[in-house]
Amino acid sequence: MAKRLHLPLLLWVAVPPWLLAALLTQGVELLSNSLDGTIWILDLFFLTTQALVPLLVLIGSFGVIAAFRRRGWLRADYWPGAGLAFALLALFLNMIVSAAWVGSGAPLLWTWSIFSGYVLFVFIFGGYAWRKTFR
């Protein structure tokens, strides 16, 4: 199979899951607390180094595609494995970025990445985009 850039797949893996999880967190915070908490969450996810996570997932997704290409798995029926690979990549990158930036508060952001649905959203969007790209 000829090498080509799968930009729609990469964008579906990186951007919508991050936005959906951040907006879901924003909505829950808005319903349960004051406006100050929601402004803090906006700052945390969009104006700090946490905003690097979608960019790093986008870059790391090239490696996932390359690994699947090397093994000859660029087919639509491998969407669960690809979705899992993208989800693990997102989880580990979120852990690395939050540990480097936050330090002792990093477990809070690791917990956020799981309980906000971010990892699940990456799995769903990544698997769906994989299936549509390699049908």
Side-chain angles (χ1 to χ4, degrees):
M1 176 178 281
K3 289 186 178 183
R4 65 180 195 140
L5 183 63
H6 302 287
L7 196 58
L9 169 65
L10 298 173
L11 290 176
W12 273 100
V13 168
V15 178
W18 182 259
L19 288 176
L20 193 59
L23 291 176
L24 184 69
T25 305
Q26 185 79 14
V28 168
E29 181 69 24
L30 189 61
L31 290 175
S32 63
N33 288 335
S34 67
L35 190 60
D36 293 335
T38 41
I39 292 172
W40 178 79
I41 286 177
L42 277 175
D43 285 345
L44 178 65
F45 291 122
F46 297 109
L47 300 176
T48 64
T49 54
Q50 279 299 106
L52 289 175
V53 173
L55 178 64
L56 293 174
V57 168
L58 180 81
I59 294 168
S61 296
F62 283 107
V64 171
I65 293 172
F68 275 74
R69 177 180 288 126
R70 195 173 313 122
R71 290 176 174 43
W73 294 347
L74 290 182
R75 298 194 318 245
D77 56 337
Y78 282 100
W79 72 267
L84 181 63
F86 289 133
L88 289 174
L89 173 74
L91 177 64
F92 291 139
L93 287 174
N94 192 14
M95 292 169 72
I96 290 167
V97 169
S98 55
W101 173 64
V102 178
S104 63
L108 176 67
L109 290 172
W110 304 344
T111 306
W112 170 84
S113 69
I114 294 171
F115 288 119
S116 70
Y118 175 60
V119 174
L120 177 67
F121 294 147
V122 171
F123 173 78
I124 292 170
F125 281 96
Y128 176 77
W130 186 274
R131 204 171 156 97
K132 291 298 179 190
T133 302
F134 299 111
R135 52 185 149 148

